Amino acid sequence: MVQTNAAAPDFTLRALDGVRRLTDYNPGNRIPASLQARVLQLCQTLDELLQQWERSKGNLSLQDSFHARHIAIRYLPEALNTYLSIPAKFATTKLLDNGKTAVDTFKDSITELEAKVSQLADDLASQDAHAFLVHSQFLEQKFAPASIEAPSLNLPQPPKQKGS
């Protein structure tokens, strides 16, 4: 597993806490309730992923570990802050260069982040499940009763008695 220094998890958790507080505060009620719930759920899922990663027997690739940390400390906070910097009326009514409003674009950004976090969580859980299975098989082999079968001796059968 890619190890991190002790300050990294604290920094990541502080970043997620900042996103939660700003989302809960929801200045000017700019974040629609359904999107607000998704942002908060994404924070929770990211927090769970980072906790799982810390106790995991699996590994995240260098690129995936970069993505996991940066979603929490950079990508999600920047998406939220840049969205909130757009005036409310503009964000809900004006089309951007991508043909969507800022609200719809923010929804799409959250969808992308949710998908990546879900993929990372599944990858890590799959690795942990595999490590568990390998260990279980080891224990089964280690402590299974020996299956030594007695060799067949082919002893002659006792003679049958007449009249039986």
Side-chain angles (χ1 to χ4, degrees), residues 73-108:
I73 64 175
R74 183 172 175 211
Y75 305 148
L76 179 57
E78 284 182 13
L80 178 61
N81 286 320
T82 56
Y83 166 73
L84 289 173
S85 71
I86 302 168
K89 186 173 182 177
F90 190 98
T92 58
T93 61
K94 302 291 183 181
L95 296 182
L96 305 178
D97 290 342
N98 64 358
K100 299 177 181 182
T101 64
V103 172
D104 290 333
T105 302
F106 185 50
K107 285 178 189 175
D108 291 348

Side-chain angles (χ1 to χ4, degrees), residues 66 120 149:
F66 175 86
L120 292 171
E149 293 183 20

Side-chain angles (χ1 to χ4, degrees), residues 57-72:
K57 299 296 181 200
N59 297 304
L60 289 177
S61 70
L62 188 56
Q63 181 177 5
D64 282 346
S65 64
F66 175 86
H67 287 309
R69 296 267 185 234
H70 276 75
I71 288 170

Side-chain angles (χ1 to χ4, degrees), residues 12-13 53-54 59 62 110 130 132 146 154-155 162:
T12 304
L13 294 176
W53 185 22
E54 291 298 318
N59 297 304
L62 188 56
I110 296 303
H130 180 74
F132 171 72
N154 292 328
L155 295 175
K162 291 185 181 185

